[in-house]
Every structure is written in structure tokens, then in C-alpha cells.
């Protein structure tokens, strides 16, 4: 439990997250479109486009959660906590706990732990999965790039190259 028992998300921070996310999603989607439109047959371009779309999806899901919390102001905390913890435990809610990573708003119940309210349970795992997919596709795109293969081939040849006539 944090030192401030009534910790909540900052409205300005959430608005900033949503604004930056909108810009990022638009940019990533445009990048994916350009990758596919310019380099139709290239595997590395398709993988880069997939990575960009996964990253855009992760960002969009996270932003959607931030929007859910934007409408979740102090006036609805008590009702949301009552729904999250149940009517029997609602009187024992002694504080709120807000985090940005993972995105959540929790209602702390004395002696019973913290219950999540305001953010759907699927949101953080979905954003994480899409983010990991973006990283995996970006690595695959780098490995499939002709420049990467050429550079690896040159390094391998230089590492294992024994000059003619050199004997150990």
C-alpha cells in the first residue's frame, strides 16, 4: 500500500498518454502501410509491417485503458469499488491504488487485499502480448533483411578466413 491511501491517476498524465498513443498508433499504421505498399514481395518488409501493426495494437489497447480511467473520476470510485469487491466488503475499502504499468486502479480492502476496478482484466495481458509480438516480428524482420544476411556473411567469412599459405 502506498503512503497516500487515496492514490489515483493524474488526469493530465492520462490525457498525455492518450494523445501520444493516438500519434503513435497513426504513425505505426502509416509505416506498416508504406512497408507493404513499397516492398510487396519482400519478406522483411512484411515482417516490419507486422511488427508495426502489433506495436500499434499494443499502444491502442493501452490507450483504450487510459480512456477508461479518464472517465473514472473520484465521483465513481466508491461505486466501482463496491462493484469490484462486493457489497459485503465495500465498507472495508480503506484506500485506492493506481498504477500506470500495468495500467490499473485498485481498491484496497483491509485484511483482504486489493481488487482491480475500472480497467478490464484482459487489457494488460493483451497489450503485453502484442508488444512481445512486435519485438519478435522486428527481430525476424532484421534477420530476414538482405543487409543483415550480407553483414553476417561477411563477418563469418572474416572470422573463419585463414590466409593462403598460413599454417599453425
Amino acid at each position: 500500500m502506498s503512503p497516500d491511501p487515496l492514490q489515483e491517476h493524474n488526469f493530465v498524465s492520462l490525457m498525455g498518454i492518450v494523445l501520444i498513443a493516438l500519434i503513435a498508433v497513426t504513425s505505426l499504421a502509416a509505416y506498416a502501410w508504406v512497408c507493404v505498399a513499397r516492398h510487396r514481395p519482400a519478406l522483411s518488409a512484411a515482417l516490419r509491417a507486422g511488427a508495426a501493426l502489433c506495436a500499434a495494437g499494443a499502444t491502442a489497447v493501452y490507450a483504450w485503458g487510459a480512456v477508461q480511467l479518464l472517465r473514472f473520476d473520484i465521483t465513481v470510485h466508491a461505486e466501482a469499488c463496491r462493484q469490484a469487491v462486493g457489497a459485503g466488503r465495500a465498507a472495508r475499502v480503506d484506500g485506492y491504488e493506481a498504477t500506470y504499468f500495468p495500467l490499473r486502479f485498485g481498491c484496497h480492502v483491509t485484511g483482504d487485499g486489493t481488487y482491480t476496478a475500472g480497467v478490464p482484466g484482459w487489457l494488460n495481458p493483451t497489450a503485453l502480448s502484442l508488444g512481445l509480438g512486435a519485438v519478435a516480428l522486428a527481430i525476424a524482420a532484421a534477420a530476414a533483411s538482405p543487409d543483415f544476411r550480407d553483414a553476417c556473411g561477411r563477418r563469418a567469412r572474416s572470422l573463419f578466413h585463414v590466409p593462403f599459405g598460413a599454417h599453425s
Side-chain angles (χ1 to χ4, degrees):
M1 191 74 185
S2 70
D4 179 11
L6 299 177
Q7 177 190 6
E8 62 183 59
H9 292 98
N10 182 316
F11 179 81
V12 175
S13 297
L14 287 173
M15 284 298 295
I17 287 170
V18 171
L19 178 63
I20 291 169
L22 287 173
I23 293 167
V25 167
T26 304
S27 300
L28 288 164
Y31 176 76
W33 176 260
V34 168
C35 281
V36 171
R38 284 190 182 167
H39 309 285
R40 284 195 196 273
L43 174 63
S44 64
L47 290 170
R48 282 194 316 263
L53 289 175
C54 278
T59 305
V61 166
Y62 188 83
W64 188 83
V67 167
Q68 296 304 304
L69 289 174
L70 275 173
R71 64 178 187 80
F72 192 73
D73 64 1
I74 192 82
T75 60
V76 297
H77 286 172
E79 177 60 27
C81 284
R82 190 183 65 71
Q83 288 177 359
V85 303
R89 293 186 202 111
R92 295 191 337 228
V93 172
D94 65 347
Y96 307 126
E97 184 178 310
T99 60
Y100 289 98
F101 298 103
L103 188 61
R104 74 183 206 119
F105 180 82
C107 305
H108 188 265
V109 177
T110 305
D112 208 12
T114 303
Y115 294 82
T116 301
V119 176
W122 58 266
L123 187 128
N124 289 308
T126 302
L128 178 64
S129 298
L130 286 168
L132 292 174
V135 170
L137 286 169
I139 291 169
S145 166
D147 296 336
F148 180 80
R149 288 193 309 261
D150 291 345
C152 287
R154 282 192 303 275
R155 277 193 209 111
R157 284 190 298 276
S158 69
L159 286 174
F160 299 109
H161 178 69
V162 177
F164 181 72
H167 299 281
S168 319

